[in-house]
Short mmCIF file of all heavy atoms in Angstrom, two decimals:
data_model
loop_
_atom_site.label_atom_id
_atom_site.label_comp_id
_atom_site.label_asym_id
_atom_site.label_seq_id
_atom_site.Cartn_x
_atom_site.Cartn_y
_atom_site.Cartn_z
N GLY E 1 -17.28 -130.61 173.10
CA GLY E 1 -18.64 -130.10 172.97
C GLY E 1 -18.68 -128.57 172.96
O GLY E 1 -19.42 -127.96 172.19
N THR E 2 -17.86 -127.96 173.79
CA THR E 2 -17.80 -126.49 173.84
C THR E 2 -17.24 -125.91 172.54
O THR E 2 -17.75 -124.91 172.02
CB THR E 2 -16.93 -126.03 175.03
OG1 THR E 2 -17.49 -126.55 176.25
CG2 THR E 2 -16.87 -124.52 175.10
N LEU E 3 -16.18 -126.54 172.02
CA LEU E 3 -15.60 -126.07 170.77
C LEU E 3 -16.60 -126.20 169.62
O LEU E 3 -16.64 -125.35 168.73
CB LEU E 3 -14.32 -126.86 170.46
CG LEU E 3 -13.14 -126.61 171.40
CD1 LEU E 3 -11.97 -127.53 171.06
CD2 LEU E 3 -12.69 -125.14 171.32
N ILE E 4 -17.38 -127.27 169.65
CA ILE E 4 -18.41 -127.46 168.60
C ILE E 4 -19.44 -126.34 168.68
O ILE E 4 -19.87 -125.79 167.66
CB ILE E 4 -19.09 -128.83 168.76
CG1 ILE E 4 -18.11 -129.95 168.39
CG2 ILE E 4 -20.34 -128.94 167.88
CD1 ILE E 4 -18.60 -131.32 168.73
N ARG E 5 -19.85 -126.01 169.91
CA ARG E 5 -20.83 -124.94 170.07
C ARG E 5 -20.29 -123.62 169.56
O ARG E 5 -21.01 -122.84 168.94
CB ARG E 5 -21.24 -124.84 171.53
CG ARG E 5 -22.26 -125.92 171.88
CD ARG E 5 -22.67 -125.96 173.34
NE ARG E 5 -22.63 -124.71 174.03
CZ ARG E 5 -22.00 -124.53 175.19
NH1 ARG E 5 -21.37 -125.53 175.76
NH2 ARG E 5 -22.03 -123.37 175.80
N ILE E 6 -19.01 -123.35 169.81
CA ILE E 6 -18.40 -122.13 169.30
C ILE E 6 -18.42 -122.12 167.78
O ILE E 6 -18.75 -121.11 167.15
CB ILE E 6 -16.96 -122.00 169.82
CG1 ILE E 6 -16.95 -121.76 171.34
CG2 ILE E 6 -16.23 -120.85 169.11
CD1 ILE E 6 -15.58 -121.74 171.95
N LEU E 7 -18.07 -123.27 167.19
CA LEU E 7 -18.08 -123.38 165.73
C LEU E 7 -19.47 -123.15 165.16
O LEU E 7 -19.66 -122.44 164.17
CB LEU E 7 -17.56 -124.77 165.31
CG LEU E 7 -17.51 -125.05 163.81
CD1 LEU E 7 -16.51 -124.13 163.13
CD2 LEU E 7 -17.15 -126.50 163.54
N VAL E 8 -20.45 -123.74 165.82
CA VAL E 8 -21.84 -123.59 165.38
C VAL E 8 -22.30 -122.15 165.51
O VAL E 8 -22.98 -121.61 164.63
CB VAL E 8 -22.77 -124.54 166.17
CG1 VAL E 8 -24.23 -124.25 165.86
CG2 VAL E 8 -22.45 -125.99 165.87
N LEU E 9 -21.92 -121.52 166.61
CA LEU E 9 -22.37 -120.15 166.86
C LEU E 9 -21.67 -119.13 165.95
O LEU E 9 -22.24 -118.12 165.58
CB LEU E 9 -22.11 -119.78 168.33
CG LEU E 9 -22.98 -120.50 169.37
CD1 LEU E 9 -22.43 -120.27 170.79
CD2 LEU E 9 -24.43 -120.01 169.30
N LYS E 10 -20.42 -119.43 165.57
CA LYS E 10 -19.62 -118.46 164.82
C LYS E 10 -19.61 -118.69 163.31
O LYS E 10 -19.37 -117.75 162.55
CB LYS E 10 -18.18 -118.47 165.34
CG LYS E 10 -18.04 -118.14 166.82
CD LYS E 10 -18.46 -116.71 167.13
CE LYS E 10 -18.24 -116.38 168.60
NZ LYS E 10 -18.69 -115.01 168.94
N SER E 11 -19.81 -119.95 162.85
CA SER E 11 -19.67 -120.25 161.42
C SER E 11 -21.00 -120.12 160.70
O SER E 11 -22.03 -120.62 161.18
CB SER E 11 -19.13 -121.67 161.23
OG SER E 11 -17.87 -121.82 161.80
N PRO E 12 -21.00 -119.50 159.51
CA PRO E 12 -22.22 -119.45 158.70
C PRO E 12 -22.61 -120.85 158.25
O PRO E 12 -21.75 -121.62 157.81
CB PRO E 12 -21.81 -118.58 157.51
CG PRO E 12 -20.57 -117.86 157.93
CD PRO E 12 -19.89 -118.76 158.90
N LYS E 13 -23.87 -121.18 158.36
CA LYS E 13 -24.34 -122.51 157.97
C LYS E 13 -24.06 -122.79 156.50
O LYS E 13 -23.84 -123.93 156.11
CB LYS E 13 -25.83 -122.62 158.26
CG LYS E 13 -26.41 -124.00 158.04
CD LYS E 13 -27.88 -124.06 158.44
CE LYS E 13 -28.46 -125.46 158.23
NZ LYS E 13 -29.88 -125.54 158.64
N SER E 14 -24.04 -121.75 155.69
CA SER E 14 -23.91 -121.91 154.24
C SER E 14 -22.56 -122.46 153.82
O SER E 14 -22.43 -123.05 152.73
CB SER E 14 -24.15 -120.57 153.54
OG SER E 14 -23.23 -119.61 154.02
N ILE E 15 -21.51 -122.29 154.65
CA ILE E 15 -20.18 -122.74 154.23
C ILE E 15 -19.64 -123.89 155.08
O ILE E 15 -18.50 -124.31 154.88
CB ILE E 15 -19.17 -121.57 154.26
CG1 ILE E 15 -18.93 -121.09 155.71
CG2 ILE E 15 -19.60 -120.44 153.35
CD1 ILE E 15 -17.73 -120.21 155.86
N ILE E 16 -20.44 -124.40 156.02
CA ILE E 16 -19.93 -125.42 156.92
C ILE E 16 -19.51 -126.69 156.19
O ILE E 16 -18.53 -127.35 156.55
CB ILE E 16 -20.96 -125.75 158.04
CG1 ILE E 16 -20.31 -126.59 159.14
CG2 ILE E 16 -22.19 -126.45 157.47
CD1 ILE E 16 -19.19 -125.88 159.87
N THR E 17 -20.23 -127.05 155.11
CA THR E 17 -19.87 -128.25 154.36
C THR E 17 -18.50 -128.09 153.71
O THR E 17 -17.65 -129.00 153.79
CB THR E 17 -20.92 -128.56 153.28
OG1 THR E 17 -22.19 -128.71 153.90
CG2 THR E 17 -20.57 -129.82 152.52
N PHE E 18 -18.27 -126.94 153.08
CA PHE E 18 -16.96 -126.70 152.46
C PHE E 18 -15.86 -126.71 153.52
O PHE E 18 -14.78 -127.26 153.29
CB PHE E 18 -16.96 -125.37 151.72
CG PHE E 18 -15.62 -125.02 151.11
CD1 PHE E 18 -15.22 -125.60 149.92
CD2 PHE E 18 -14.76 -124.12 151.74
CE1 PHE E 18 -13.98 -125.30 149.37
CE2 PHE E 18 -13.52 -123.83 151.20
CZ PHE E 18 -13.13 -124.41 150.00
N VAL E 19 -16.13 -126.11 154.67
CA VAL E 19 -15.14 -126.08 155.76
C VAL E 19 -14.76 -127.49 156.18
O VAL E 19 -13.57 -127.80 156.38
CB VAL E 19 -15.68 -125.28 156.96
CG1 VAL E 19 -14.78 -125.45 158.19
CG2 VAL E 19 -15.81 -123.81 156.61
N VAL E 20 -15.74 -128.37 156.29
CA VAL E 20 -15.50 -129.75 156.72
C VAL E 20 -14.66 -130.50 155.68
O VAL E 20 -13.68 -131.17 156.01
CB VAL E 20 -16.83 -130.48 156.98
CG1 VAL E 20 -16.63 -131.99 157.06
CG2 VAL E 20 -17.46 -129.98 158.27
N VAL E 21 -15.06 -130.41 154.39
CA VAL E 21 -14.32 -131.11 153.33
C VAL E 21 -12.90 -130.57 153.24
O VAL E 21 -11.93 -131.34 153.17
CB VAL E 21 -15.03 -130.97 151.97
CG1 VAL E 21 -14.21 -131.66 150.88
CG2 VAL E 21 -16.43 -131.56 152.01
N PHE E 22 -12.77 -129.26 153.26
CA PHE E 22 -11.46 -128.62 153.14
C PHE E 22 -10.56 -128.99 154.32
O PHE E 22 -9.38 -129.28 154.14
CB PHE E 22 -11.64 -127.10 153.06
CG PHE E 22 -10.43 -126.37 152.53
CD1 PHE E 22 -10.13 -126.41 151.17
CD2 PHE E 22 -9.63 -125.63 153.37
CE1 PHE E 22 -9.03 -125.73 150.66
CE2 PHE E 22 -8.52 -124.95 152.87
CZ PHE E 22 -8.22 -124.99 151.52
N ALA E 23 -11.14 -129.00 155.52
CA ALA E 23 -10.37 -129.39 156.71
C ALA E 23 -9.92 -130.84 156.59
O ALA E 23 -8.82 -131.20 157.02
CB ALA E 23 -11.21 -129.20 157.97
N GLY E 24 -10.78 -131.68 156.00
CA GLY E 24 -10.41 -133.08 155.79
C GLY E 24 -9.21 -133.23 154.88
O GLY E 24 -8.29 -134.00 155.16
N VAL E 25 -9.21 -132.46 153.79
CA VAL E 25 -8.07 -132.51 152.87
C VAL E 25 -6.79 -132.04 153.57
O VAL E 25 -5.74 -132.66 153.46
CB VAL E 25 -8.35 -131.64 151.62
CG1 VAL E 25 -7.13 -131.62 150.71
CG2 VAL E 25 -9.55 -132.19 150.84
N LEU E 26 -6.89 -130.94 154.32
CA LEU E 26 -5.71 -130.40 155.01
C LEU E 26 -5.17 -131.36 156.06
O LEU E 26 -3.98 -131.37 156.33
CB LEU E 26 -6.05 -129.06 155.66
CG LEU E 26 -6.41 -127.90 154.73
CD1 LEU E 26 -6.61 -126.62 155.53
CD2 LEU E 26 -5.35 -127.70 153.66
N SER E 27 -6.06 -132.17 156.65
CA SER E 27 -5.63 -133.09 157.71
C SER E 27 -4.73 -134.19 157.17
O SER E 27 -4.12 -134.94 157.95
CB SER E 27 -6.85 -133.72 158.40
OG SER E 27 -7.47 -134.68 157.57
N ASN E 28 -4.60 -134.29 155.83
CA ASN E 28 -3.78 -135.35 155.25
C ASN E 28 -2.30 -135.19 155.56
O ASN E 28 -1.53 -136.15 155.40
CB ASN E 28 -3.96 -135.39 153.72
CG ASN E 28 -5.36 -135.81 153.33
OD1 ASN E 28 -5.97 -136.61 154.01
ND2 ASN E 28 -5.88 -135.25 152.25
N THR E 29 -1.90 -134.00 156.01
CA THR E 29 -0.52 -133.84 156.44
C THR E 29 -0.20 -134.83 157.55
O THR E 29 0.91 -135.35 157.66
CB THR E 29 -0.28 -132.39 156.95
OG1 THR E 29 -0.63 -131.49 155.89
CG2 THR E 29 1.17 -132.19 157.32
N ALA E 30 -1.18 -135.09 158.38
CA ALA E 30 -1.09 -136.14 159.41
C ALA E 30 -2.44 -136.87 159.39
O ALA E 30 -3.35 -136.55 160.13
CB ALA E 30 -0.82 -135.53 160.77
N SER E 31 -2.56 -137.84 158.49
CA SER E 31 -3.88 -138.40 158.15
C SER E 31 -4.63 -139.00 159.34
O SER E 31 -5.84 -139.04 159.35
CB SER E 31 -3.71 -139.48 157.07
OG SER E 31 -2.84 -140.51 157.48
N GLU E 32 -3.90 -139.49 160.36
CA GLU E 32 -4.58 -140.10 161.50
C GLU E 32 -5.51 -139.11 162.19
O GLU E 32 -6.56 -139.48 162.71
CB GLU E 32 -3.56 -140.65 162.51
CG GLU E 32 -2.77 -141.85 162.03
CD GLU E 32 -1.57 -141.46 161.19
OE1 GLU E 32 -1.36 -140.24 160.98
OE2 GLU E 32 -0.85 -142.36 160.72
N VAL E 33 -5.12 -137.83 162.18
CA VAL E 33 -5.96 -136.80 162.80
C VAL E 33 -7.31 -136.75 162.13
O VAL E 33 -8.35 -136.68 162.77
CB VAL E 33 -5.27 -135.42 162.73
CG1 VAL E 33 -6.17 -134.34 163.30
CG2 VAL E 33 -3.95 -135.44 163.45
N GLY E 34 -7.30 -136.82 160.81
CA GLY E 34 -8.54 -136.75 160.06
C GLY E 34 -9.45 -137.92 160.36
O GLY E 34 -10.66 -137.74 160.60
N TYR E 35 -8.91 -139.12 160.35
CA TYR E 35 -9.72 -140.32 160.53
C TYR E 35 -10.29 -140.43 161.95
O TYR E 35 -11.47 -140.71 162.12
CB TYR E 35 -8.91 -141.58 160.23
CG TYR E 35 -8.60 -141.78 158.77
CD1 TYR E 35 -7.30 -141.70 158.30
CD2 TYR E 35 -9.61 -142.03 157.85
CE1 TYR E 35 -7.00 -141.88 156.96
CE2 TYR E 35 -9.33 -142.20 156.52
CZ TYR E 35 -8.02 -142.12 156.07
OH TYR E 35 -7.75 -142.29 154.74
N VAL E 36 -9.44 -140.22 162.94
CA VAL E 36 -9.88 -140.50 164.31
C VAL E 36 -10.51 -139.30 165.00
O VAL E 36 -11.20 -139.47 166.00
CB VAL E 36 -8.72 -141.04 165.18
CG1 VAL E 36 -8.12 -142.28 164.57
CG2 VAL E 36 -7.63 -139.98 165.39
N LEU E 37 -10.30 -138.10 164.47
CA LEU E 37 -10.86 -136.92 165.13
C LEU E 37 -11.87 -136.18 164.24
O LEU E 37 -13.02 -135.98 164.64
CB LEU E 37 -9.73 -135.96 165.53
CG LEU E 37 -10.17 -134.65 166.20
CD1 LEU E 37 -10.98 -134.94 167.46
CD2 LEU E 37 -8.96 -133.80 166.55
N LEU E 38 -11.44 -135.79 163.04
CA LEU E 38 -12.29 -134.94 162.21
C LEU E 38 -13.54 -135.67 161.71
O LEU E 38 -14.63 -135.09 161.68
CB LEU E 38 -11.50 -134.40 161.02
CG LEU E 38 -12.27 -133.43 160.13
CD1 LEU E 38 -12.64 -132.17 160.89
CD2 LEU E 38 -11.45 -133.06 158.89
N VAL E 39 -13.41 -136.93 161.30
CA VAL E 39 -14.55 -137.66 160.74
C VAL E 39 -15.70 -137.77 161.76
O VAL E 39 -16.83 -137.35 161.46
CB VAL E 39 -14.13 -139.05 160.22
CG1 VAL E 39 -15.36 -139.88 159.84
CG2 VAL E 39 -13.22 -138.90 159.00
N PRO E 40 -15.47 -138.30 162.97
CA PRO E 40 -16.58 -138.36 163.92
C PRO E 40 -17.03 -136.97 164.39
O PRO E 40 -18.21 -136.75 164.67
CB PRO E 40 -16.01 -139.18 165.09
CG PRO E 40 -14.54 -139.04 164.98
CD PRO E 40 -14.25 -138.94 163.51
N LEU E 41 -16.09 -136.02 164.49
CA LEU E 41 -16.42 -134.68 164.92
C LEU E 41 -17.34 -133.98 163.91
O LEU E 41 -18.28 -133.27 164.30
CB LEU E 41 -15.14 -133.86 165.11
CG LEU E 41 -15.26 -132.52 165.81
CD1 LEU E 41 -15.78 -132.68 167.23
CD2 LEU E 41 -13.90 -131.82 165.82
N SER E 42 -17.12 -134.23 162.64
CA SER E 42 -17.94 -133.61 161.60
C SER E 42 -19.38 -134.10 161.64
O SER E 42 -20.32 -133.34 161.34
CB SER E 42 -17.33 -133.88 160.22
OG SER E 42 -16.05 -133.28 160.11
N ALA E 43 -19.58 -135.35 162.01
CA ALA E 43 -20.94 -135.87 162.17
C ALA E 43 -21.66 -135.11 163.28
O ALA E 43 -22.84 -134.74 163.15
CB ALA E 43 -20.90 -137.37 162.46
N ILE E 44 -20.95 -134.86 164.36
CA ILE E 44 -21.53 -134.13 165.50
C ILE E 44 -21.83 -132.69 165.10
O ILE E 44 -22.87 -132.13 165.46
CB ILE E 44 -20.57 -134.17 166.71
CG1 ILE E 44 -20.34 -135.62 167.17
CG2 ILE E 44 -21.10 -133.34 167.86
CD1 ILE E 44 -19.25 -135.78 168.20
N ILE E 45 -20.92 -132.08 164.33
CA ILE E 45 -21.12 -130.70 163.87
C ILE E 45 -22.35 -130.59 162.99
O ILE E 45 -23.19 -129.70 163.16
CB ILE E 45 -19.87 -130.20 163.12
CG1 ILE E 45 -18.70 -130.03 164.09
CG2 ILE E 45 -20.17 -128.88 162.41
CD1 ILE E 45 -17.38 -129.75 163.41
N PHE E 46 -22.50 -131.52 162.04
CA PHE E 46 -23.65 -131.48 161.14
C PHE E 46 -24.95 -131.66 161.91
O PHE E 46 -25.96 -131.01 161.62
CB PHE E 46 -23.51 -132.56 160.06
CG PHE E 46 -22.94 -132.05 158.77
CD1 PHE E 46 -21.76 -131.31 158.77
CD2 PHE E 46 -23.54 -132.32 157.56
CE1 PHE E 46 -21.22 -130.82 157.59
CE2 PHE E 46 -23.02 -131.84 156.37
CZ PHE E 46 -21.84 -131.09 156.38
N LEU E 47 -24.93 -132.55 162.89
CA LEU E 47 -26.13 -132.78 163.71
C LEU E 47 -26.50 -131.50 164.45
O LEU E 47 -27.68 -131.15 164.56
CB LEU E 47 -25.88 -133.93 164.68
CG LEU E 47 -27.09 -134.42 165.50
CD1 LEU E 47 -28.21 -134.88 164.59
CD2 LEU E 47 -26.66 -135.53 166.46
#
């Protein structure tokens, strides 16, 4: 929750969607990270 708040406070709203998609692509190096961490985390970030 704290890391999300930092991301929200520091990241421009205009590029957050690109950051999420791009991070998802990069997570494919170890795909489990993307599925079990980034996907649900991105929903919380958008909210």
Side-chain angles (χ1 to χ4, degrees):
T2 301
L3 291 175
I4 290 170
R5 280 176 29 232
I6 292 175
L7 180 64
V8 172
L9 291 168
K10 301 295 183 182
S11 299
K13 186 176 181 179
S14 58
I15 66 166
I16 192 63
T17 302
F18 177 79
V19 170
V20 165
V21 178
F22 197 74
V25 176
L26 295 185
S27 74
N28 293 326
T29 303
S31 58
E32 291 83 0
V33 177
Y35 289 114
V36 303
L37 178 58
L38 184 63
V39 172
L41 191 61
S42 297
I44 298 171
I45 291 171
F46 264 50
L47 187 59

